[in-house]
Amino acid sequence: MLDPRFIRANPELVREGLAKKRETTALDEFLGLDETRRRLLTETETLKATLNAASKEIGALKKAGEDASARMAEMAELRDRIKALDVEVADTDAQVERVMLRMPNLPYEDVPVGPEETHNVVIRSDGVLPEFDFEPKPHYELSGPTFGFEFERATKVTGVGGVGFPFLRGNLSRLSRALMNFCLDINVSRGYEELWAPALASRASVTGTGQIPKLEDDMYHVTLDDLFLIPTGEVPLTNYHRDEILEADQLPIRLTGYTPCFRREAGAAGRDTAGLQRVHQFDKVEMVKFVHPDVSYQELETLTEDAEFLLQRLELPYRVVALSTEGVSFASAKTYDLEVFAPGLNRWLEVSSCSNFEAFQARRAGIRFRPERGAKPEFVHTLNGSGIAFPRVIAALMEIHQQADGSVLVPEVLRPYMGGLSAL
C-alpha cells in the first residue's frame, strides 16, 4: 500500500508512476474520496466544537436558573448530525481503503518503462548452452524405467484435465525432494533461517502481501473457513512478522522455507503449458528479507545472487532479466527474473523472481521497526525471491542433462541427496 500522505503531496508523481504500470483510475478515485473525507472531518470537528461551547452555555444557563430547553433541543439536533457525519466518515474511510488496496506499488526509478515483451532487459547471463549430437527432446517426452510423469492418473484423482496437477513418479519424485533439501541447505548456509510454513493463509495475510484483492479470482479459496491455499511461500514467510514492531538490530531478517504452492490460472493450453512449464500446484523454496529501507536495493542484489548461486551449482545456464514497468508485479517496485534455458523446448523458462516491495507490503501488513530505542516506528522494506521453483527447474535439468538413450544425468550436487544416483 502506498503512503496516503505521499500521494496527497505528490499526486502528479504518483500519476506518472501508476501510468507506467497502466493504472489510470485509482489515483483520481483516491483524491476525490480523500477530499470528501477531509471535508466531512472538518465539518464534524466544527460541529463538535460548537457542541462543546453550547454545553458550557447550557450549564451556565442552568446555574443561573434560566430556561435552557430551547438550546438543549438545538444541541440534540446537532448531536444527531454529528452521528450521521461519523457514519459518513466511516463509510468514506472504507471506500478509501478499498481504493488503496487496488492501487499498485510505484516502479523504482531505474525500471525500464514499457511492455515486458519488448522492454525487459537481459542484465547478465551465466553458463554455456549445451550442444547435442542428437535432437534434444522436451522433458515430457523423456522416459526411463525408473521415472516418469503421470498426467492422466492425476486427472483421475483431481478431476482437472490437462497438466495442472501432475504425478511425478519414481526418481522424478525423488529429484523433487532432493531439490527441496539442496535449496534449503544452501540457503541456511548463506544466512537464512529455515521455517516450515503453513500452506493455508487468512484473508488478512494474502491482503498483506498484495495478492488480494487483485488476484483473488486466481487463488484456491476454502470458503468454509475463508482461507486461501498459498500461491507462493512469500505469503506465510512475510506474514510471520505481520503486525509486529521489530528492533533495528534485528535487521536484516532472512527467512527461507519450502512450501507447496497453488494457482488457479495456469495459462492457456498449448506450447507454453506442456509438461511442467505451467501447473496449478508446484513446489518451491522461498527466500524473504525484512531490511532497513536505506539498504533494500543492495539487499535485492544479494538476494538475486543467492538465487543465482543455486542455479550455478545445478549446472544450469541462466540469464538475469530486469523486468519492465508492465512486467513487474502489482506489489513490486523492482524485479529481476532468473530464466534457465530448456533446449528441448528451445526456450527460456522463468524459475525465480527476486523483488523489492519497499514499504508496500509492510504498510499493508503492519510490519515496522524502531530505527533506535524509543524512536517512532517506521515501516521495514520487504523482499522475496524464489530459491527456487521446482517444476521448471526439473524440466530444464532433464533437458540440459539428457542423453541420447533418453536417460538424464543427475547434477553432482544432487547425487548425495539421491543416494548417490548418477542418472535417471
Side-chain angles (χ1 to χ4, degrees), residues 21-333:
K21 283 194 169 183
R22 301 187 69 83
E23 169 55 59
T24 58
T25 63
L27 177 62
D28 289 333
E29 289 183 69
F30 169 82
L31 293 175
L33 288 167
D34 189 58
E35 182 179 347
T36 298
R37 179 181 181 276
R38 283 184 289 168
R39 175 180 56 79
L40 292 171
L41 286 174
T42 298
E43 183 179 354
T44 302
E45 290 168 1
T46 300
L47 293 180
K48 287 180 178 179
T50 301
L51 183 63
N52 289 336
S55 296
K56 294 178 182 179
E57 180 186 344
I58 290 169
L61 288 172
K62 288 182 176 180
K63 188 175 181 180
E66 299 181 24
D67 183 9
S69 57
R71 195 70 173 122
M72 292 173 64
E74 292 175 11
M75 292 307 99
E77 293 180 4
L78 195 58
R79 288 190 185 91
D80 290 341
R81 175 57 183 159
I82 290 172
K83 289 180 181 178
L85 284 171
D86 285 341
V87 171
E88 288 188 63
V89 169
D91 180 64
T92 304
D93 282 342
Q95 293 183 63
V96 168
E97 183 177 14
R98 283 193 291 270
V99 172
M100 292 293 295
L101 289 175
R102 296 200 327 266
M103 193 180 297
N105 201 358
L106 302 180
Y108 189 57
E109 58 189 16
D110 67 357
V111 174
V113 179
E116 59 180 320
E117 295 82 2
T118 55
H119 287 71
N120 287 353
V121 178
V122 177
I123 300 298
R124 58 183 174 272
S125 59
D126 186 272
V128 179
L129 299 184
E131 295 182 3
F132 299 90
D133 56 8
F134 60 91
E135 185 68 27
K137 295 181 178 180
H139 60 283
Y140 50 85
E141 291 183 7
L142 295 169
S143 62
T146 63
F147 72 89
F149 300 99
E150 293 282 5
F151 296 116
E152 291 183 2
R153 284 191 170 97
T155 296
K156 179 174 63 176
V157 170
T158 65
V160 178
V163 297
F165 296 94
F167 275 112
L168 301 185
R169 193 184 73 234
N171 281 330
L172 283 190
S173 174
R174 198 175 182 186
L175 178 62
S176 185
R177 180 158 48 90
L179 281 170
M180 176 186 71
N181 288 317
F182 163 73
C183 291
L184 289 173
D185 284 350
I186 293 295
N187 289 347
V188 168
S189 73
R190 292 171 73 88
Y192 291 82
E193 180 181 0
E194 182 181 344
L195 293 178
W196 193 269
L200 286 164
S202 68
R203 182 173 293 273
S205 292
V206 288
T207 299
T209 43
Q211 283 78 24
I212 282 183
K214 181 177 176 60
L215 301 176
E216 183 168 356
D217 290 342
D218 293 338
M219 299 175 67
Y220 285 97
H221 185 200
V222 183
T223 54
L224 180 64
D225 299 308
D226 197 24
L227 294 173
F228 294 84
L229 290 169
I230 59 171
T232 166
E234 161 198 348
V235 174
L237 295 188
T238 303
N239 280 280
Y240 184 76
H241 286 297
R242 180 162 57 89
D243 296 326
E244 292 184 16
I245 298 176
L246 307 169
E247 297 300 330
D249 59 8
Q250 293 178 262
L251 303 179
I253 295 173
R254 302 181 179 96
L255 303 178
T256 188
Y258 157 81
T259 61
C261 304
F262 305 85
R263 58 185 176 197
R264 289 174 56 85
E265 177 50 60
R271 174 174 173 268
D272 291 349
T273 60
L276 298 179
Q277 294 180 78
R278 189 171 286 272
V279 291
H280 293 287
Q281 177 180 339
F282 60 101
D283 297 283
K284 185 167 68 160
V285 168
E286 193 78 9
M287 301 178 292
V288 165
K289 291 184 176 184
F290 305 84
V291 306
H292 193 289
D294 291 348
V295 298
S296 66
Y297 281 96
Q298 297 168 236
E299 292 283 355
L300 176 60
E301 298 301 323
T302 59
L303 175 69
T304 306
E305 290 168 7
D306 289 337
E308 289 181 74
F309 183 74
L310 296 168
L311 300 180
Q312 292 163 2
R313 296 292 305 278
L314 291 169
E315 304 168 47
L316 287 172
Y318 71 89
R319 63 186 187 184
V320 179
V321 180
L323 297 191
S324 71
T325 53
E326 294 182 33
V328 297
S329 73
F330 171 84
S332 173

